Amino acid sequence: MFYSRGLPFNLARNPHYVSSYMYAANHSIPGYIPPGYNLLRTRLLQRERANIERLLDPIKGTWKEKGLTIASDGWSDSQRRSLINFMAVTGDAPMFLKAVNCEGEIKDKHFIASLMKEVVIEVGPKNVVQIVTDNTANCKAAGQIIEAQYPHIFWTPYVVHTLNLALKNICAAKNIENNSLVYDECSWITIVVGDASCIKNFIMNHSMRLAIFNEFVSLKLLSVAKTRFASSIVMLRRFKLIKQGLQSMVISTQWNSHREEQGASFVRETLLNGKWWDKVDYILSFTAPIYDMLRECDTDKPTLHLIYDMWDNMIEKVKCVIYKHEEKHLEDESEFYDVVHKIRWNKNNTPLHCLAHALNPRYYSDIWLEEDPKQVPPHKDEEVTNERKKCLKWYLNDSTERTKANMEYAKFSTKEGSFSDVDSIEDRYNMDPHSWWVIHGASAPILQTLALKILTQPSSSSCCERNWSTYSFIHSLRRNKMTPQRAEDLVYIHSNLRLLSRRSPQYCNGVT
């Protein structure tokens, strides 16, 4: 079976494969005939999907208390059909809901909003905290339509997509209308990235040059896909890592004996140019905080309550690196920093990020406040305060209930009443915020209910990006006659079976 069909050997590690053969070996089942082609793709498939839906009911039962995030993303399958998938995320458990075939549809704001509304109704409007999509104009407009219909549901831009677009604007500045200032300040970065790309292509597009490269460098030159986040920075980081091997290669006798004058001389001069490497170091140093935040947010784990603080710290670190390089004081003006700062940083100041920041007990602890004199508790931050009030008005329509919530927040932020307990104060810094509210938040029931929902939400739709890998694995170029509905059923079972298996005792104990 393995050898005749070319099945991957890691299938032997699949617990379902192992258990099926063990069951057959330990039970007498005379006359058993394995399911055939048509049965597997029709009745058994539908029966298994219904079984998975039943097994998912306990997870869905937690949505009322924990809340959920609806994450969405678009893609095209192997037949170039346009698809939009939806996933429900709470904690770090993304659940695949569905993939909609949008072939022949105009994906304007009204169409996308109608799809979002169907999903919201399916999972229960009261359970939804936010909808996360990328930052395209039609998705943003669709999110605003949903916010108008459901005031307690927020549309939140995909943080990682925002950071990636910012890096693209910095590393690939274009000389277009209303962008001349950015191009003037960042065009040198575009040139450096272009040089690195040319060097990579020159080496990898010729077997002899690639063989010489492999002699001197143990790591590979990365062929980064355009859809990969921070692709230019990933490429430059790899160049920096193999710098010594690259320089040894271009001064070797092997390189000189197999060189092509026009391209090889450019590669040699560039890789031996100290000023070029200084520019690479500078690019990597001031983009490092952006790249680090991008990597940290590209996860399904709850990060919504960390974004506001991470964003401020990231911008401050970028500023320090640029001003240090330019040998300026932080009070001085820097045209390059102004350009970098104004590109896209205003895209993520959302009310929900501010409310989540305000409900994180860590940011009220003395240890956190002493880490940096510039840091202030959320109740003393004007922007956070204004956005928090705005959120509470949307969540709590009744003015009496809203007044109670404000009084609870006053005691929480100033450590009064039951919040003055020694354990409560010490745990603010050391304990994760969700657990802190479970243990110490009973005296503030309104805020506790909000916190238990908001502090378990992600800040990205990374699970949707990864789900397309599952989709392409199932609906591949070689398996391309499958209907969209059957592909969706298979993806639903595959993704959610993985979710269920990771909640099993065997997986938690490291048995499987």
Side-chain angles (χ1 to χ4, degrees):
M1 180 179 68
F2 274 82
Y3 303 149
S4 65
R5 295 301 301 164
L7 299 177
F9 297 133
N10 61 13
L11 175 60
R13 299 174 178 173
N14 188 299
H16 304 290
Y17 163 81
V18 176
S19 63
S20 64
Y21 274 80
M22 291 180 65
Y23 183 89
N26 295 326
H27 294 78
S28 177
I29 46 176
Y32 172 74
I33 299 175
Y37 170 80
N38 287 318
L39 190 60
L40 279 169
R41 64 201 288 267
T42 53
R43 281 189 295 164
L44 281 182
L45 180 62
Q46 295 303 317
R47 193 184 303 171
E48 182 60 20
R49 173 159 183 161
N51 179 52
I52 295 296
E53 289 176 350
R54 178 181 59 81
L55 295 175
L56 291 172
D57 284 341
I59 299 177
K60 294 178 180 179
T62 65
W63 288 351
K64 184 176 181 181
E65 180 182 357
K66 292 184 176 181
L68 65 94
T69 292
I70 295 176
S72 179
D73 188 46
W75 190 63
S76 296
D77 66 9
S78 58
Q79 293 190 6
R80 307 303 299 167
R81 285 186 292 237
S82 180
L83 303 170
I84 298 178
N85 68 351
F86 292 91
M87 299 191 75
V89 191
T90 184
D92 57 352
M95 180 189 298
F96 178 77
L97 297 175
K98 62 180 176 179
V100 181
N101 179 19
C102 303
E103 187 178 16
E105 299 285 352
I106 299 175
K107 294 183 286 296
D108 59 7
K109 62 180 181 180
H110 299 291
F111 175 74
I112 295 176
S114 66
L115 296 181
M116 290 179 178
K117 186 175 180 180
E118 288 178 10
V119 176
V120 168
I121 293 173
E122 179 183 335
V123 301
K126 293 183 179 180
N127 299 328
V128 181
V129 175
Q130 61 174 346
I131 296 176
V132 179
T133 68
D134 59 29
N135 300 316
T136 55
N138 55 345
C139 288
K140 180 178 180 180
Q144 292 172 343
I145 292 175
I146 296 297
E147 287 182 339
Q149 296 181 4
Y150 302 98
H152 67 283
I153 298 177
F154 294 84
W155 172 80
T156 308
Y158 182 10
V159 173
V160 177
H161 187 241
T162 303
L163 294 169
N164 185 56
L165 291 177
L167 286 174
K168 276 188 175 180
N169 286 1
I170 293 170
C171 298
K174 297 180 180 179
N175 191 11
I176 57 178
E177 188 178 356
N178 300 326
N179 199 49
S180 58
L181 181 59
V182 175
Y183 180 79
D184 292 341
E185 293 294 332
C186 299
S187 58
W188 66 273
I189 303 176
T190 307
I191 295 172
V192 172
V193 172
D195 291 344
S197 182
C198 288
I199 294 171
K200 181 199 72 174
N201 292 335
F202 183 79
I203 295 173
M204 297 189 68
N205 291 345
H206 193 280
S207 59
M208 187 58 70
R209 291 192 290 266
L210 185 58
I212 298 171
F213 169 82
N214 290 333
E215 285 185 27
F216 288 88
V217 183
S218 58
L219 297 174
K220 303 297 182 183
L221 275 172
L222 297 177
S223 295
V224 184
K226 292 183 179 180
T227 54
R228 171 71 183 265
F229 293 133
S231 56
S232 298
I233 302 303
V234 171
M235 181 176 62
L236 290 180
R237 287 168 72 93
R238 176 52 60 93
F239 264 72
K240 175 67 175 177
L241 191 62
I242 61 176
K243 174 183 176 181
Q244 187 174 354
L246 288 171
Q247 291 181 330
S248 299
M249 177 190 69
V250 296
I251 62 175
S252 66
T253 55
Q254 297 98 311
W255 179 264
N256 291 325
S257 62
H258 293 93
R259 63 196 177 100
E260 294 179 9
E261 283 294 341
Q262 186 175 1
S265 59
F266 167 78
V267 172
R268 178 188 176 94
E269 291 172 4
T270 303
L271 292 177
L272 297 179
N273 187 337
K275 292 183 178 179
W276 187 84
W277 284 107
D278 289 340
K279 291 179 181 179
V280 171
D281 290 340
Y282 181 37
I283 294 171
L284 293 179
S285 62
F286 84 80
T287 59
I290 309 172
Y291 181 78
D292 291 342
M293 181 177 174
L294 186 151
R295 290 290 301 273
E296 196 166 346
C297 294
D298 191 17
T299 177
D300 303 327
K301 295 180 180 180
T303 54
L304 184 70
H305 56 285
L306 304 173
I307 296 301
Y308 188 87
D309 181 54
M310 290 170 62
W311 204 269
D312 280 352
N313 289 336
M314 180 266 293
I315 294 174
E316 189 63 27
K317 289 177 182 177
V318 171
K319 182 176 182 179
C320 290
V321 173
I322 293 175
Y323 273 67
K324 182 179 180 180
H325 182 267
E326 295 181 353
E327 298 181 349
K328 293 182 177 180
H329 298 289
L330 294 178
E331 298 80 17
D332 299 336
E333 291 290 331
S334 169
E335 291 185 3
F336 179 62
Y337 171 73
D338 290 342
V339 166
V340 171
H341 182 250
K342 291 177 181 177
I343 287 178
R344 285 183 179 269
W345 306 141
N346 61 339
K347 297 287 185 180
N348 262 73
N349 291 333
T350 66
L352 195 59
H353 286 138
C354 293
L355 177 60
H357 178 77
L359 292 177
N360 190 343
R362 178 185 178 88
Y363 301 132
Y364 300 87
S365 65
D366 294 335
I367 299 175
W368 182 81
L369 293 172
E370 291 170 0
E371 289 177 352
D372 187 345
K374 296 180 182 179
Q375 292 178 160
V376 296
H379 67 284
K380 293 184 179 179
D381 187 311
E382 184 178 0
E383 181 183 22
V384 173
T385 299
N386 292 335
E387 299 302 322
R388 172 179 54 79
K389 291 179 179 178
K390 188 186 300 183
C391 281
L392 289 179
K393 286 181 181 179
W394 290 340
Y395 274 119
L396 307 172
N397 295 324
D398 183 53
S399 59
T400 304
E401 191 177 15
R402 195 161 58 247
T403 301
K404 291 180 180 178
N406 286 325
M407 292 301 297
E408 290 176 0
Y409 179 75
K411 293 180 179 179
F412 160 68
S413 58
T414 56
K415 306 182 183 74
E416 296 179 1
S418 63
F419 295 114
S420 63
D421 180 70
V422 175
D423 289 340
S424 171
I425 295 174
E426 289 184 356
D427 289 343
R428 288 188 178 219
Y429 185 83
N430 300 316
M431 189 177 289
D432 75 271
H434 180 267
S435 300
W436 187 93
W437 276 102
V438 170
I439 296 170
H440 301 293
S443 63
I446 299 176
L447 281 188
Q448 186 187 48
T449 301
L450 279 177
L452 294 182
K453 282 190 174 183
I454 293 174
L455 297 178
T456 57
Q457 306 308 317
S459 60
S460 70
S461 55
S462 300
C463 56
C464 291
E465 301 276 356
R466 285 188 285 275
N467 187 253
W468 293 129
S469 299
T470 302
Y471 203 102
S472 61
F473 166 71
I474 290 172
H475 192 197
S476 62
L477 290 172
R478 297 183 64 183
R479 199 182 183 186
N480 57 13
K481 291 186 178 180
M482 192 182 302
T483 63
Q485 181 57 52
R486 185 162 290 131
E488 183 196 346
D489 290 339
L490 287 168
V491 172
Y492 183 91
I493 294 171
H494 183 99
S495 299
N496 292 329
L497 198 58
R498 181 185 298 174
L499 168 63
L500 291 167
S501 67
R502 292 186 175 184
R503 298 170 66 89
S504 66
Q506 294 86 352
Y507 182 86
C508 295
N509 296 329
V511 176
T512 58

